[in-house]
Amino acid sequence: IDTNHFTPRPKNNELMAKYQLQGRRVIVCVGRLVHRKGQDQLIKAKKLLNDFNKNKLVQEYKDTKILMNDLLKKTCDEINNLNTYIFGNKVNVDTNKIVNKPIKNKNWNELLKANKQAKSEKLNKVIDDILNGKTDINNINASITKVYAEDLYVTNRLLTTETSKVIVNTNDECFIENDVKQLLYIATLDKKTCDDCAQYDLKVYEKGKEPKLPRHPKCRCVLGPYIKDTTPSRRQRIPKKEVINIKDYNTWKKENNL
């Protein structure tokens, strides 16, 4: 042992407080990086796992990007076809422009990339905690599963929100082309609808003065063309697809004791 190097020094009170060692006897085992000790394998394992995590998530981001882009373009085409049926003429919408229109200066591709980067950082921390003995062996699966579950939620939320945005923007192109003057706000009749969205349900707005959609992440509200002096008598209750007599959200909520 090199006694010049391994020489006791005054206690570091800040360090002891950080690791809650005040008043405790601490025994330290200093191991060398030799094969029989195993520390070298932990270092190799960390690098291999971090590299695997990085490469896997890069590919996951690319695959998810392709899938989301296809789904959003398909949604744009389907809504445009529906409006063609309603108005009797087809509008040549710019699908790529609609799909990639940003929200708060960021488009869905940038948000997806940031989400995958956050997932990578969380997985790297899980790996570090496992290799450093901070995670009990019985909790390894739960720690990894939690990271994947959180990523699944934020990806689903992003896709749902972007789908709503594509529907709204595609409709808007068609409304402008067909000189729609008034719009009818339509919320979803179920328990998930928030009070902010519910307050606008079945209200009529002059084009350009309507509430901006989507109102929030995972918003499902839409705006439809309104024909002056014409009130629809029936509406569909989504997601059960039950057709009921026309009533606004708050009336429906009261009748169903929600």
Side-chain angles (χ1 to χ4, degrees):
I1 297 175
D2 184 351
T3 55
N4 291 324
H5 184 75
F6 294 100
T7 301
R9 56 183 174 176
K11 294 180 180 179
N12 186 326
N13 292 326
E14 183 179 343
L15 195 62
M16 293 181 70
K18 178 180 179 181
Y19 294 103
Q20 299 179 355
L21 300 176
Q22 304 97 321
R24 297 182 179 182
R25 178 171 292 182
V26 181
I27 301 174
V28 180
C29 175
V30 180
R32 294 170 291 157
L33 294 180
V34 295
H35 296 305
R36 64 185 180 85
K37 292 292 185 179
Q39 286 92 338
D40 61 319
Q41 297 304 314
L42 286 177
I43 293 173
K44 290 179 180 178
K46 179 181 177 180
K47 186 178 187 309
L48 286 171
L49 288 170
N50 286 341
D51 288 346
F52 174 78
N53 172 34
K54 179 181 178 181
N55 294 333
K56 184 177 185 301
L57 289 180
V58 166
Q59 188 59 50
E60 183 178 304
Y61 159 70
K62 291 179 180 179
D63 293 342
T64 307
K65 176 183 174 182
I66 292 171
L67 179 61
M68 283 188 62
N69 189 58
D70 289 345
L71 288 172
L72 294 174
K73 284 185 175 181
K74 183 178 180 181
T75 298
C76 181
D77 291 338
E78 289 179 348
I79 296 300
N80 195 31
N81 289 337
L82 176 61
N83 282 315
T84 299
Y85 174 78
I86 293 173
F87 293 108
N89 68 298
K90 188 175 183 65
V91 177
N92 293 320
V93 298
D94 188 336
T95 303
N96 287 322
K97 182 179 179 181
I98 288 176
V99 166
N100 293 298
K101 186 175 182 179
I103 295 181
K104 295 181 179 179
N105 298 321
K106 284 190 176 181
N107 63 30
W108 64 269
N109 180 33
E110 294 172 308
L111 295 172
L112 176 64
K113 191 172 184 178
N115 291 344
K116 295 304 177 184
Q117 180 61 38
K119 178 181 180 181
S120 177
E121 292 171 358
K122 289 178 182 179
L123 284 175
N124 283 338
K125 186 179 185 306
V126 169
I127 291 169
D128 287 347
D129 288 347
I130 292 171
L131 296 179
N132 292 327
K134 294 181 180 179
T135 301
D136 185 276
I137 191 170
N138 296 315
N139 295 327
I140 291 176
N141 183 63
S143 298
I144 296 173
T145 300
K146 181 182 177 181
V147 174
Y148 274 86
E150 290 173 349
D151 176 67
L152 179 62
Y153 171 78
V154 296
T155 301
N156 176 265
R157 182 179 65 178
L158 177 61
L159 177 59
T160 305
T161 306
E162 289 299 316
T163 298
S164 175
K165 184 198 74 177
V166 167
I167 292 173
V168 169
N169 290 335
T170 305
N171 277 338
D172 196 52
E173 292 280 333
C174 295
F175 296 160
I176 292 172
E177 182 70 21
N178 289 281
D179 197 28
V180 173
K181 301 295 186 182
Q182 293 182 306
L183 299 172
L184 180 68
Y185 192 106
I186 305 170
T188 301
L189 294 184
D190 67 14
K191 294 188 291 186
K192 295 180 181 179
T193 297
C194 68
D195 292 339
D196 180 48
C197 293
Q199 67 178 318
Y200 301 113
D201 188 43
L202 294 190
K203 290 184 178 180
V204 178
Y205 296 91
E206 295 297 319
K207 182 75 175 69
K209 296 182 179 181
E210 69 278 5
K212 299 302 179 184
L213 294 178
R215 301 290 301 162
H216 53 76
K218 301 187 77 170
C219 181
R220 298 167 296 162
C221 297
V222 295
L223 292 161
Y226 179 78
I227 302 175
K228 192 174 182 179
D229 300 326
T230 301
T231 302
S233 61
R234 306 276 278 173
R235 72 180 296 183
Q236 190 178 54
R237 182 182 169 236
I238 299 171
K240 288 190 175 182
K241 297 184 179 181
E242 171 191 1
V243 179
I244 62 174
N245 290 331
I246 194 72
K247 62 191 70 174
D248 65 25
Y249 183 89
N250 288 326
T251 301
W252 172 83
K253 181 179 179 180
K254 185 177 181 180
E255 289 179 356
N256 288 273
N257 298 315
L258 298 176

